[in-house]
Amino acid sequence: YDIFFNSEGFKQYSQEIGVDLRAKYLTNIVKFMRPDMFAKGKLPDAGMDSWQQGCPGSTGFTTGKLLHDPRYMRRFVDHMQRIPFMIYGSDGAYYEGPGYTCLQLNPMMKMRNLNGYSDPKSFAPPEGEERVENWWYPQGHYETFHRKAYTIQRELALPHGKAVVYNDAGGSFPSASYIQQTRKPRSFNVMKHGLKHVVLGDGVGEDQIQTHLLFGLDSKHGHSDTMSLQIFAKGHYLMDDISYPKHRMRGAYGGIMLHNSGLIDGRGHARGPVGDGKPHYYEPRLNGLAAVRINGENMYVGNSDVFERTAVNVTVDPKRSYVVDLFRMNGGRKWREYMLLG
């Protein structure tokens, strides 16, 4: 507390951005401070690399400004420039969900605040590093990345404009508001191989229907939702995902039992890349008909060699649509179960 609020940079930074930081950070940042972040002689990185997230990087930037310590800014820029290559798929998707997508993108945009930054003359950079002189936010590649990362969430958005729910961050997650939009005039078919998420969509206005089928990815904020099916029609969810409960049932809510998927002998799915499903068939181009088949034969290695789901969206006329769901599985010694939450 003393190190933080007695810093010479505190008042200067408050004036620079026109915000009463004493009131703001007394209730926010200080509440979440870790003592080891301010250990003497140690650059506190808040576990940036192990987190593979932008949240600690953003905190490092602000802390550096408040403490007049260039090490934080240098660490922040280095980390945020590597984030896109560490945790984002080729289609611009961040696997932890739409809300956490924004928690990564917003700190990247914050790098613009360092435009023109130079290390103080009195600062000696760490061994093997050069001084920073007139640093500028990298254009081109990063701008393209930002557009792709925001666009994918809008492509997957539900008809009412809110973010689709998956993993630990659904449309109710505060940061997801950055990617929300006005109501979609029409729904389309979308396949995202990097995120492992497919949407069968059709219809206009209040008659839109979307069928979402998830076939990966595991992550730190991930749920056991491979092969989980969601249906949104007539303005609301018919089959949905519970999303991000922050209470003692959180672990259970992230398990396979609370997703619209299948279960063999009461055991959860294989986690990590080995448990990802693989698209065997995807046909979005037929008039009034779209279909996808996902094979998850590695979901229960040694216990099942058939674990696949086929979803078909059928549009009868502009007002009427229905979904065909074919789930095939074998194996198991006791039972095979099908979960449905609606």
Side-chain angles (χ1 to χ4, degrees):
Y1 181 95
D2 289 339
I3 294 174
F4 199 72
F5 284 103
N6 291 336
S7 166
E8 294 180 2
F10 197 91
K11 183 177 181 180
Q12 179 180 327
Y13 190 36
S14 297
Q15 294 173 343
E16 183 180 323
I17 63 176
V19 174
D20 183 358
L21 293 175
R22 183 173 297 278
K24 179 177 181 180
Y25 291 108
L26 184 61
T27 56
N28 290 315
I29 284 188
V30 173
K31 182 169 62 175
F32 297 108
M33 274 185 182
R34 290 170 18 196
D36 63 316
M37 289 181 67
F38 299 94
K40 288 185 178 180
K42 173 187 175 185
L43 174 60
D45 62 9
M48 290 185 195
D49 286 334
S50 61
W51 279 40
Q52 296 188 349
Q53 291 182 339
C55 328
S58 182
T59 302
F61 169 83
T62 304
T63 303
K65 294 284 282 186
L66 295 176
L67 296 182
H68 267 191
D69 191 335
R71 296 179 303 167
Y72 288 85
M73 271 80 84
R74 295 167 63 97
R75 188 73 175 89
F76 165 70
V77 169
D78 175 66
H79 178 70
M80 296 312 300
Q81 288 183 151
R82 288 185 288 116
I83 278 283
F85 310 103
M86 295 165 63
I87 57 177
Y88 278 83
S90 58
D91 50 17
Y94 178 54
Y95 49 66
E96 292 189 5
Y100 279 101
T101 293
C102 293
L103 286 181
Q104 313 315 311
L105 297 177
N106 296 340
M108 289 183 206
M109 303 302 285
K110 203 171 188 178
M111 288 195 297
R112 285 194 176 94
N113 295 337
L114 280 175
N115 282 347
Y117 170 81
S118 296
D119 286 333
K121 294 181 179 180
S122 59
F123 177 71
E127 185 177 353
E129 296 185 17
E130 298 181 355
R131 289 181 55 81
V132 175
E133 298 290 345
N134 195 29
W135 184 88
W136 208 257
Y137 177 81
Q139 302 292 326
H141 177 76
Y142 285 91
E143 298 292 347
T144 300
F145 164 75
H146 288 146
R147 285 195 297 270
K148 184 185 291 187
Y150 276 105
T151 298
I152 186 174
Q153 296 300 333
R154 293 192 173 102
E155 288 182 295
L156 298 175
L158 300 169
H160 56 19
K162 293 186 178 181
V164 63
V165 176
Y166 63 91
N167 288 342
D168 251 355
S172 61
F173 198 71
S175 290
S177 60
Y178 286 92
I179 54 176
Q180 289 178 8
Q181 55 189 335
T182 56
R183 292 178 178 273
K184 281 186 169 181
R186 184 178 184 86
S187 286
F188 297 94
N189 302 307
V190 180
M191 168 66 85
K192 296 298 180 182
H193 291 277
L195 183 60
K196 301 187 184 298
H197 190 128
V198 60
V199 184
L200 305 180
D202 201 0
V204 298
E206 293 299 319
D207 296 313
Q208 294 180 64
I209 182 171
Q210 290 185 3
T211 301
H212 292 252
L213 182 55
L214 289 65
F215 52 101
L217 289 159
D218 190 17
S219 74
K220 294 177 181 178
H221 280 281
H223 289 188
S224 295
D225 57 5
T226 302
M227 298 298 224
S228 181
L229 191 77
Q230 300 181 29
I231 300 176
F232 190 102
K234 302 298 182 181
H236 59 87
Y237 264 121
L238 301 180
M239 295 170 60
D240 60 358
D241 188 305
I242 295 177
S243 182
Y244 200 8
K246 291 191 174 181
H247 50 64
R248 65 180 61 188
M249 289 292 290
R250 177 178 174 181
Y253 280 25
I256 190 60
M257 287 292 290
L258 289 175
H259 291 86
N260 303 308
S261 186
L263 188 67
I264 296 178
D265 286 347
R267 293 173 47 214
H269 296 168
R271 299 298 296 268
V274 70
D276 292 344
K278 299 177 177 61
H280 273 203
Y281 178 86
Y282 175 57
E283 179 50 77
R285 296 165 296 184
L286 301 177
N287 186 27
L289 185 72
V292 63
R293 175 178 293 165
I294 305 296
N295 184 289
E297 59 187 9
N298 292 326
M299 300 299 293
Y300 288 98
V301 178
N303 199 20
S304 171
D305 57 8
V306 176
F307 199 85
E308 69 174 28
R309 191 165 203 168
T310 303
V312 184
N313 240 27
V314 183
T315 300
V316 180
D317 58 46
K319 293 287 185 181
R320 294 182 299 159
S321 300
Y322 64 89
V323 178
V324 178
D325 176 28
L326 304 173
F327 204 143
R328 299 177 63 238
M329 64 179 89
N330 68 5
R333 297 182 178 181
K334 298 180 181 179
W335 55 75
R336 295 184 289 274
E337 299 172 280
Y338 172 85
M339 282 79 68
L340 188 150
L341 299 104

